[in-house]
Amino acid sequence: MLEAEVAIIGAGAAGLSLAHRLSRPLTGRPLSAILVDAPPGPLRPPQRTWCFWEAGRGPYDAALTASWRRLRVHPPTGHPIEDDISPLSYKMIRSEDFEALVGRDLARSGRVERLEATVDHVEALPEGAEIHAHAADGRERSVRARWVFDSRPPGSLPAARTTLLQHFRGWVLRTPRPAFDPSRAELMDFRTAQPAKGLSFGYVLPTGTRQALVEYTEFSPSILSKDAYDAALSHYTDSVLGLKDYEIVGTETGVIPMTDARFARQTAPSVFRIGAAGGATRPSTGYTFAGLQRQTAAVAAALRRGRRPVPPQPHSARSRAMDAVLLHALDSGLVDGAAFFSGLFARVPMARLLRFLDGTTRLSEDLGIGLHTPVLPMLRAAAEVPRLPRRPFTGY
């Protein structure tokens, strides 16, 4: 039996971020913590790339693959839209580099113990909870803690009025000659075949003149086959970007729910969910990394002050309400997704739009941005959303 004040289940972005914050020698009382990570295998999260934006230096800059101040958006037709997002930077970090940085800091601090085991279930106790797990060799392991934070993906999504999936496949490309401009990233390129519901776009993150991550992304109700993703990527890379000579040196695939479901952030008196499982994903964009940083920062601060560490909702009620309207508008076909986003980026400075997507704009700014959307279809969507029933999602 291992004991600690805090136990964290899962060593993905959310679990590692909370462990990292608890390991730092900050003000407040020190805490004993245990991070429970699954052994190598299917229960570990796959390697992937996370992107986010922030002003100035951040705590994970040492692990960044690249960052950009200039972003570009391509409408379905016509000229591209390009802008400088200063003082923000759009940052790219690979999960393996993030894990290595956090792992080094945890080992150096000695404040967080690590346990490699598969969690079977979590039992609520009168003053805390007990994690029942087993190691790779089959031995039973138990962890008793005052507070437990579970970052594992939920087995199913909560009922929602609208649920779309952001699903994607990316290739890491290497070319024999310079083919990319590393000074800017292609944030959304709508010169792709659009699905019947939702939208699709290409995404190019150059890490040098001869290497880039190129992705095909859809917001739609269901995922595609591997062959369909590869066909879409081939078309985008060859026909749209005009690349003819390249080598695929890596791949990544993912599915992110975009839903107005209400995620339960507490499952027992001392057991909480964090990260995507705790509602950190922004419903309208699928971005999660910034939301879980806000959430884990608040949890760590509450723990150090001896307060009840209920994870906060990372996105405001106003942001979630606007997202519910947009998701319904996209799902119902009230708005054309590619035209909607292209119009926003054409009419609103990118830095302000990114702050809006992060929920840090004022109400007056939100209203101004709303006037640059298709007003009548969005008002209709807003009127319809409250009457929509919440249903379980069966396609994930």
Side-chain angles (χ1 to χ4, degrees):
M1 172 73 70
L2 298 173
E3 295 189 9
E5 290 178 86
V6 177
I8 303 165
I9 303 175
L16 286 173
S17 295
L18 180 55
H20 194 232
R21 292 181 186 281
L22 296 180
S23 73
R24 298 179 195 170
L26 301 176
T27 57
R29 65 189 188 91
L31 297 151
S32 59
I34 295 176
L35 175 63
V36 184
D37 189 17
L43 294 180
R44 282 205 176 174
Q47 299 296 320
R48 61 185 59 189
T49 299
W50 299 313
C51 290
F52 57 100
W53 50 88
E54 63 183 349
R57 290 193 54 79
Y60 305 115
D61 279 6
L64 293 180
T65 303
S67 66
W68 303 269
R69 287 286 180 88
R70 298 200 68 81
L71 300 181
R72 187 160 64 175
V73 172
H74 278 272
T77 59
H79 297 293
I81 305 151
E82 187 171 329
D83 203 356
D84 188 314
I85 63 170
S86 299
L88 302 176
S89 293
Y90 190 77
K91 299 183 177 184
M92 170 189 183
I93 188 169
R94 291 196 173 99
S95 58
E96 59 265 37
D97 297 325
F98 179 76
E99 292 162 8
L101 181 149
V102 173
R104 288 192 299 270
D105 287 353
L106 293 184
R108 190 180 301 119
S109 76
R111 292 181 176 87
V112 178
E113 184 176 351
R114 302 193 71 162
L115 171 65
E116 194 172 275
T118 301
V119 174
D120 299 315
H121 68 280
V122 180
E123 176 188 0
L125 301 175
E127 291 293 329
E130 185 172 335
I131 300 170
H132 298 271
H134 63 273
D137 60 6
R139 287 184 303 152
E140 293 185 1
R141 304 300 303 268
S142 295
V143 177
R144 185 169 292 179
R146 177 66 184 92
W147 307 108
V148 173
F149 298 91
D150 192 345
S151 67
R152 295 172 298 170
S156 60
L157 293 175
R161 293 168 297 199
T162 308
T163 298
L164 295 175
L165 299 177
Q166 179 178 156
H167 49 105
F168 54 89
R169 181 168 173 79
W171 290 341
V172 179
L173 302 184
R174 185 176 295 152
T175 60
R177 292 171 294 279
F180 304 105
D181 180 356
S183 68
R184 68 185 176 207
E186 305 284 348
L187 185 65
M188 297 176 113
D189 188 341
F190 294 107
R191 295 174 297 173
T192 53
Q194 297 299 312
K197 275 191 174 184
L199 69 148
S200 73
F201 56 90
Y203 191 64
V204 183
L205 300 180
T207 56
T209 59
R210 298 192 301 114
Q211 184 161 306
L213 172 63
V214 178
E215 287 194 352
Y216 173 80
T217 300
E218 275 194 19
F219 297 177
S220 61
S222 57
I223 63 174
L224 307 179
S225 67
K226 178 181 178 298
D227 289 344
Y229 286 119
D230 285 342
L233 262 171
S234 292
H235 173 265
Y236 179 62
T237 302
D238 299 354
S239 301
V240 177
L241 297 181
L243 298 177
K244 300 299 181 185
D245 189 10
Y246 56 83
E247 177 187 8
I248 301 172
V249 297
T251 62
E252 72 171 36
T253 304
V255 182
I256 302 170
M258 303 172 66
T259 175
D260 66 356
R262 300 183 182 121
F263 286 84
R265 284 164 287 133
Q266 184 170 357
T267 58
S270 296
V271 182
F272 306 99
R273 288 191 172 276
I274 57 172
T281 300
R282 181 72 194 260
S284 62
T285 66
Y287 283 99
T288 305
F289 195 82
L292 69 85
Q293 295 305 323
R294 289 192 292 270
Q295 192 179 61
T296 55
V299 167
L303 287 167
R304 292 184 184 278
R305 292 168 184 155
R307 298 176 180 171
R308 185 170 180 77
V310 179
Q313 174 57 254
H315 309 292
S316 70
R318 188 168 82 238
S319 295
R320 299 196 307 276
M322 291 186 294
D323 286 356
V325 172
L326 176 58
L327 288 177
H328 174 57
L330 290 173
D331 185 54
S332 63
L334 285 170
V335 299
D336 177 286
F340 178 89
F341 282 103
S342 296
L344 274 182
F345 279 103
R347 300 181 185 102
V348 181
M350 283 193 189
R352 185 186 307 166
L353 193 52
L354 292 180
R355 288 194 299 107
F356 170 75
L357 295 176
D358 227 9
T360 59
T361 44
R362 300 184 300 274
L363 176 60
S364 59
E365 292 176 298
D366 292 349
L367 292 173
I369 290 170
L371 292 175
H372 292 302
T373 68
V375 175
L376 291 179
M378 294 301 286
L379 287 175
R380 178 179 169 184
E384 291 176 353
V385 163
R387 301 195 297 269
L388 297 175
R390 292 186 179 270
R391 296 190 177 98
F393 182 68
T394 58
Y396 181 52

